Amino acid sequence: MKAVIQDRYGPPEVLQLVDLPVPEVSDDQVLIAVHAAGVDRGTWHLTTGLPYLLRLSGYGFRRPRVPTAGRDVAGTVVAIGSAVTGFAVGDQVFGSCSGAYAEYACGPASSFIMKPAVLSFEQAAAAPTSAITALAALRTVGGLQAGQAVLVVGASGGVGAFAVQIAHAMGAEVTAVCSSRGVEFVRSLGADAVIDYAKAPLAPERKYHLILDIAGGRPLRRLRRLLTGSGTLVIVGSETGGRLFGPLGRTLQALLLSPFVRQRLKGLMAFTNPEGLAALSRLIEAGSVTPVVVKSYSLAEAAQAVRQVGEGGILGKVVLSVRA
Ligand SMILES: NC(=O)c1ccc[n+]([C@@H]2O[C@H](COP(=O)([O-])OP(=O)(O)OC[C@H]3O[C@@H](n4cnc5c(N)ncnc54)[C@H](OP(=O)(O)O)[C@@H]3O)[C@@H](O)[C@H]2O)c1
């Protein structure tokens, strides 16, 4: 099969298309014929090995421990392990596993769920990491309730576009922060109000019960001024903070400060998991969430796709289209 691998960290061009044997399923695994694979900021971080702290968290210090690239995937089940129940050959599924940028990918059965029929494979592959991050930030960590006001900073990108839709579906009043190119886009996703951060500063005339800090790396004191007295700030990420720690420096600062203030200051480390996939599927089937794919690339163009995501400014998601 054709597969994308990287034998070192570096610019997206370290991603190479090679021939590999089709993976063999072990007892608890499912093998899928990949139709589409998602590209997200996390893939860019794993390609470049930045920030360096990431390399210490099990991904490989000098070079990637797992050379096959890609995580989010949608496809058709072609083989199942002897201990797997709940899937059959021919099922259309989506989820996350290592080696998603390939014609075939293999992972634990718990990494996948049936693809909602309303989604194309490309839409399904765009969802897992970004949508489950948004869900975790709003619900599990953020504790958002219907009727509350939420500020989504970085609303037009991969995580933000899901966060706006999910918060709207949860009955929150959603204010989205993005640049001018994203204003109409985030409105179309359900934002009640939009702040173009290049034109207007985030001024504390208005207070929010929850802030998702997805981009921009603004100082904590500025974000805290926008929170209600007992509001919650969830730091999801940003591309600021340097090559060593990335956004983790601000997260650490928030965690250290949190016990001493009334507001809740939280970090987030979201992973695709069965409960998250099930909750996401319910939202998709209810019509509350629709992944927005702005561009698809071929498997051979994986490096270009990852480069585009790294350069930013995408409204929604980029995917690899692997087979029709
Ligand atoms: N904690 C976790 O578990 C987790 C999981 C997934 C992702 N992340 C992190 O979350 C961050 C966002 O990921 P993503 O996939 O959504 O990235 P993305 O697709 O690049 O989206 C980021 C968005 O932020 C906007 N933006 C840039 N600068 C901004 C600013 N100063 N103020 C407001 N918005 C700004 C960008 O649009 P404009 O350029 O048009 O402004 C873009 O739409 C990344 O750092 C990623 O690593 C964390």
Side-chain angles (χ1 to χ4, degrees):
M1 67 170 186
K2 294 286 181 204
V4 176
I5 61 158
Q6 63 172 122
D7 56 11
R8 62 196 163 94
Y9 294 119
E13 289 65 36
V14 298
L15 295 170
Q16 301 289 327
L17 189 68
V18 298
D19 289 305
L20 287 183
V22 173
E24 285 180 17
V25 279
S26 57
D27 292 351
D28 66 338
Q29 288 185 325
V30 169
L31 177 70
I32 67 173
V34 177
H35 288 253
V39 186
D40 73 318
R41 279 275 174 192
T43 311
W44 183 88
H45 288 293
L46 291 176
T47 303
T48 56
L50 296 173
Y52 289 110
L53 197 62
L54 170 145
R55 304 186 189 195
L56 296 176
S57 36
Y59 290 104
F61 189 67
R62 290 182 175 281
R63 62 183 64 82
R65 195 173 50 78
V66 178
T68 47
R71 298 181 301 169
D72 289 348
V73 68
T76 307
V77 174
V78 290
I80 53 176
S82 57
V84 172
T85 55
F87 288 114
V89 169
D91 283 347
Q92 299 187 344
V93 298
F94 78 122
S96 291
C97 64
S98 58
Y101 294 175
E103 289 176 323
Y104 294 89
C106 195
S110 58
S111 310
F112 305 110
I113 191 167
M114 298 295 278
K115 177 178 79 63
V118 290
L119 294 191
S120 66
F121 284 110
E122 292 191 349
Q123 287 175 307
T129 297
S130 301
I132 286 173
T133 300
L135 251 178
L138 290 165
R139 265 210 321 221
T140 327
V141 181
L144 184 67
Q145 304 290 323
Q148 290 189 328
V150 56
L151 183 72
V152 181
V153 184
S156 57
V159 176
F162 283 107
V164 171
Q165 294 183 70
I166 295 168
H168 177 72
M170 290 172 74
E173 186 199 322
V174 186
T175 300
V177 181
C178 61
S179 68
S180 45
R181 71 183 139 213
V183 171
E184 286 315 311
F185 175 64
V186 296
R187 273 195 211 287
S188 74
L189 300 176
D192 299 290
V194 185
I195 299 172
D196 177 345
Y197 67 82
K199 290 191 182 149
L202 302 188
E205 292 103 38
R206 176 76 215 271
K207 304 278 186 190
Y208 300 90
H209 299 98
L210 174 64
I211 299 177
L212 296 200
D213 180 32
I214 302 172
R218 290 171 178 80
L220 292 186
R221 64 178 184 285
R222 280 189 62 200
L223 295 171
R224 285 187 56 213
R225 283 204 289 266
L226 302 167
L227 273 182
T228 59
S230 57
T232 302
L233 168 66
V234 181
I235 298 180
V236 177
S238 78
E239 296 309 310
T240 62
R243 292 165 72 87
L244 187 55
F245 293 110
L248 294 165
R250 284 172 72 249
T251 304
L252 194 60
Q253 205 188 334
L255 297 180
L256 290 172
L257 182 61
S258 193
F260 303 102
V261 296
R262 266 186 71 215
Q263 295 161 329
R264 296 164 70 231
L265 312 177
K266 300 276 188 181
L268 175 76
M269 191 60 80
F271 294 99
T272 308
N273 57 75
E275 298 74 32
L277 283 172
L280 173 60
S281 279
R282 286 193 293 275
L283 285 164
I284 291 169
E285 275 159 359
S288 304
V289 169
T290 304
V292 181
V293 175
V294 281
K295 187 156 169 85
S296 67
Y297 290 85
S298 69
L299 198 54
E301 294 170 325
Q304 283 162 259
V306 172
R307 176 168 290 286
Q308 190 184 8
V309 166
E311 285 169 356
I314 294 162
L315 304 180
K317 293 281 305 198
V318 163
V319 298
L320 303 184
S321 193
V322 178
R323 42 165 75 72

